[in-house]
Every structure is written in structure tokens, then in C-alpha cells.
Amino acid sequence: MPIAAPSRAELAAAAPRTIREHIRAGRWRGHTKGLAVGFHQANLIVVPHANAFDFMRFCQRNAAAFPLIHVTDPGDPSLDAVAEGGDVRTDIGCYDVYENGEFSGSVTHLNDLWRADHVAFLTGCAISLERPLREAGILLPQAAGDEGPSPMFMTRIACKPAGVFAGPLVVGLRIVPDRYVVPMTAVTARHPDCHGAPVHIGDPAGIIDRFDTPDWGTPRSVPAGHTAMFWACGMTAQAAAMKARLPELITQSVGHMLVTDLPVTVGR
Amino acid sequence: MPIAAPSRAELAAAAPRTIREHIRAGRWRGHTKGLAVGFHQANLIVVPHANAFDFMRFCQRNAAAFPLIHVTDPGDPSLDAVAEGGDVRTDIGCYDVYENGEFSGSVTHLNDLWRADHVAFLTGCAISLERPLREAGILLPQAAGDEGPSPMFMTRIACKPAGVFAGPLVVGLRIVPDRYVVPMTAVTARHPDCHGAPVHIGDPAGIIDRFDTPDWGTPRSVPAGHTAMFWACGMTAQAAAMKARLPELITQSVGHMLVTDLPVTVGR
């Protein structure tokens, strides 16, 4: 008898490895927010070996955008180092493919695209902070669901370049009740592996030219009694690939993160 | 009139850039311990571009031994990113050269050895912790000076390999009064950029086969009321190069660190 597709509630209670197995088998195609709370969920960036050393220096120099969790050996699809039994080709629900710096489509696995010269980078993500934020008493209102994807913006802040990689720092937005500005800053600052402290707090014009037209996602307004907070974002990789017209880049799709076995902790 | 060589006391009070200028001009050939207190001093590892991506993954996977501070672009000798006006070829007082995994000699500059395909890695070092330790009230007895170089040991702990790089974790030893074991652990744990928490505390036999014959430096005994503490050490790179019989590796000589402009802080 085939294994039934899990409900979101069932999946939310499952271990990281079980979640990966459901995704690998195609039984779960939804986003990963709210799953495996307390474990790192990671961004994926795949580049050819020829670009990998440049990209790794780009990550090291812009560590707020790219807190490195793991870098695979060229051609090796195993993610055992961070996700037991994991496979980079199948364990994410949806992948985005960029060619010559342009988005060319999404796929549900990389079985046909993964090559012997591919290198996969896994970088930390703010989605992993759900437990530390909750433990600090920060209970952010749930999104209504009809707002569309969270906006991301290319800023006027330039990344430190490395080889072919350069471009603007991309930030994600959180609009939070004013009383949470200080604790959100304090908690996130303790988690450099999840982008760390905010890049900017308050008036978006400080770092962004057009707050009403985000580069990705849906515009938001800042209600009275709320503050806009901005954190470095892994989408910085896509911005660099677009700028460089990089022949090839593969990433996870927005909201479809790699669920790892690594617990979110402070310090190493 | 030529600039006079500084005394150690003069140098200890000097800014990092001034120290580098004295070293570059040959006016200072001594070790860097006790200089630029409060600033990061870094290990240097130079490898050919062909080995650089492997070595960078080796660093990421064994971050306790290799807390990355900066990685240069291939062939670029500038250290501006971490040391204003700095030059990797001249700003260290003594460099060790390894060929085919064997130590082949020391040089006082790399002007003749630096090539367009060289990449320099700078990694954090425990020597940078002098100020945080002092601020925590940890006043370690000064070495008498006639003990010889501090010992370092290849352990039974295997590094996570990456490409050609593999081998044992190398640790450095500190013998501390028992009352300092807890605060030394706590303070160093807060500084992952300087090797972080100890790898091992107490009986050396837990990780080392022959405590009486260190792989580098002079043997020590542990007096009554004292404890042996071991931290991951940048010499792990030399051990890996020896094991791989790496055609070429250049490092700083023991005690001759790169003095950077980066303040030692907790967090990023």
C-alpha cells in the first residue's frame, strides 16, 4: 500500500528526515515554513565547479547574506554532512533554474540537470528562527495568506565582489509591531547562521529606492504602530547571477527550503 | 634619516598598520605575541589556485581549526580587506615553505615566491584572545622564556576531508591553573573566530597518543594544581599538506602572525 501524503499538521510534527522523504517521493509539494521547527532550513545555490571558488569567496565576504552551512564536493549529490541520507537532487520540493542570468523555469527535482561538475552551497535562512523568536516571547501575527509572497528588495548597499560575482545586497522585509523591534534585533543578532542582526530598521528609503515596487514578492505598507525591519537575504545570489549573466545557477524556489538535521543553536 | 627599529615596548603600543610597516621594512623580525592587543592576528596559508576550492571547503568543514577571516582573489597580494595597505608578500616577519609535504625552509618575504595563481587564506588564532582573557580576570603566568616553543600535537581526531585535504586535527596546549579551566572555556567559547571552545580538557591520552613527544614544539609537564587544555590549531593545515604530499604550501612561521586591523569582538 503506498504511503499516504501527509497533512501539514502531520508534517509539522515529523522529524527532518521524514519530511525529506515525503518531499523526495513527491508526497509533499508545499512550502516548508512551520516544518521541523528548531532545525535549520537552508537555501540552496548550485553553480558549476568553474564558478564555485569565486562563489565561495563571495559567500565568505558577504556572510550576512550567505551564512555557509555546507558546500558539497563537485558532483557529489549527498547531503549526509547536514541531512542524513539527503540528496541535493530530490530533497527540495521546487527548484528554480536561471540561464544567462534569467529565470528559465522551475523543476521538482534535479535528476536530469545535476552534473558531475556541479557544486551545491547550503546557506542559513531566517525561516529557521521560528523557535528562538517564540522562546523570546515574540509572537508575530500570522500572515493572512492573501497577501502574496513576502517582498524582497535590491538595496543601494553593494556586496563585496569576488570573481564574477557582484551586485546589490538583497534584503527581506519583516513588518513588526514597534514593541518587537528591540527583541527582534537582539534575538536575530545572536544567530549569524540565520543572517544575524538586521541590516536596517525603519524608513525604507535609507537603503531602498522604491519600497512600493519590490524586486520580488508583493508590496506591503507599514501600518501605524509598526516598523519595517530588513535582513540580508539569500536572494542576493540570484541578483548577482542576473548581474553577471551567469550561464547557469540553480536555487531552491522561494519557500521551498532544504530541511536539515542541524539544530538551531547559539554558538558552535 | 632612516626610521629606527622599534623596541618591543614601542611596538606593543603601536597601531596595527604601523606594526605591519615595521615588519615590511625589516625593522622587526621578532614574534607578534603581545602586539596590537585587541586586534585579530591571523594565520596565513598560501596554496595554488588549483587547490584553493578544496582548501576552502576543508576550512569550512573544520572551522574550529580554520576560522576564515579572509581569502584573497587569485594572484592578488592586497590585504586591504582586513589590513589597510597590507601586502601578503611582505607583512609577515617569517614565512615557512613546504614542498611535497615537507618543510623546505623559511623566508622573510614572498616577493620572489608569490605567483599569479596563488591564493592566501587568513584564519583566526588564539593569540588574539589576550584582551578578552585579561578582561575576564584570567592572568596566565608568563612563560619563563627558556621553555622553548609551545607544543602542538596531531590528535586521534580526524578532520572532515575535502578534495586532497585530510588528516588529523592538530591541537595547541595551554597548561592553566585549575581555577581557570571554567572561565578559559567560557571565554574562548565566545570567540569561534579564534578557534572557539577547547577540543579537550584534562588527560591528554583522551585525544593524543604521545604527550611526551609533541609533533611541534617542546614537551611540557602538567604541575600539580594545573590542567592541560587543548584547542584546535591552524597547524592542522601543515599536517594535511604533509599527509597529501601537497606540492606547495606556504604559511606564516610559528609566532609570526599577520597583524590585522580587525578588532576582536563577540559576534558579527
Side-chain angles (χ1 to χ4, degrees), chain B residues 93-174:
Chain B
C94 192
Y95 302 78
D96 287 351
V97 181
Y98 291 78
E99 294 174 323
N100 301 313
E102 290 180 15
F103 174 71
S104 66
S106 296
V107 294
T108 56
H109 62 77
L110 300 182
N111 288 329
D112 310 317
L113 293 178
W114 180 260
R115 291 196 315 266
D117 75 325
H118 272 149
V119 175
F121 291 76
L122 299 178
T123 64
C125 176
I127 200 175
S128 311
L129 291 175
E130 191 161 327
R131 174 171 290 176
L133 290 172
R134 190 196 301 163
E135 288 177 346
I138 300 170
L139 304 169
L140 295 173
Q142 291 296 314
D146 53 359
E147 298 179 295
S150 191
M152 290 170 277
F153 304 87
M154 296 192 195
T155 66
R156 291 191 302 272
I157 302 165
C159 289
K160 293 179 190 168
V164 300
F165 295 94
L169 178 70
V170 175
V171 293
L173 167 70
R174 276 182 151 160

Side-chain angles (χ1 to χ4, degrees), chain B residues 22 24 36 43 75 88 124 128 145 154 184 195 205 207 212 229 237 258 267:
Chain B
H22 282 304
R24 188 181 313 154
N43 291 284
V88 73
S128 311
M154 296 192 195
M184 283 284 286
H195 299 306
I207 56 169
D212 53 345
M229 301 182 71
L258 177 79

Side-chain angles (χ1 to χ4, degrees), chain B residues 206-237:
Chain B
I207 56 169
I208 292 165
D209 286 332
R210 291 168 309 190
F211 186 63
D212 53 345
T213 55
D215 295 285
W216 295 271
T218 308
R220 295 279 196 281
S221 58
V222 184
H226 289 65
T227 300
M229 301 182 71
F230 299 91
W231 279 267
C233 171
M235 193 65 81
T236 302

Side-chain angles (χ1 to χ4, degrees), chain A residues 49 52-54 56-57 60-61 63 67-74 81 119 121 160-163 189 192-193 197 267-268, chain B residues 49 52-54 56-57 60-61 63-64 68-74 81 119 121 160-163 189 192-193 197 267-268:
Chain A
H49 191 182
F53 180 53
D54 281 356
M56 197 163 180
R57 297 201 312 290
Q60 199 272 329
R61 293 177 191 179
L68 281 175
I69 287 181
H70 183 60
V71 183
T72 66
D73 291 335
V119 175
F121 291 75
K160 294 180 191 168
D193 287 352
R268 286 179 252 187
Chain B
H49 191 181
F53 179 53
D54 281 355
M56 196 163 180
R57 295 200 314 290
Q60 198 273 329
R61 294 177 191 179
L68 281 174
I69 287 182
H70 183 61
V71 183
T72 65
D73 292 334
V119 175
F121 291 76
K160 293 179 190 168
D193 288 351
R268 285 181 252 189

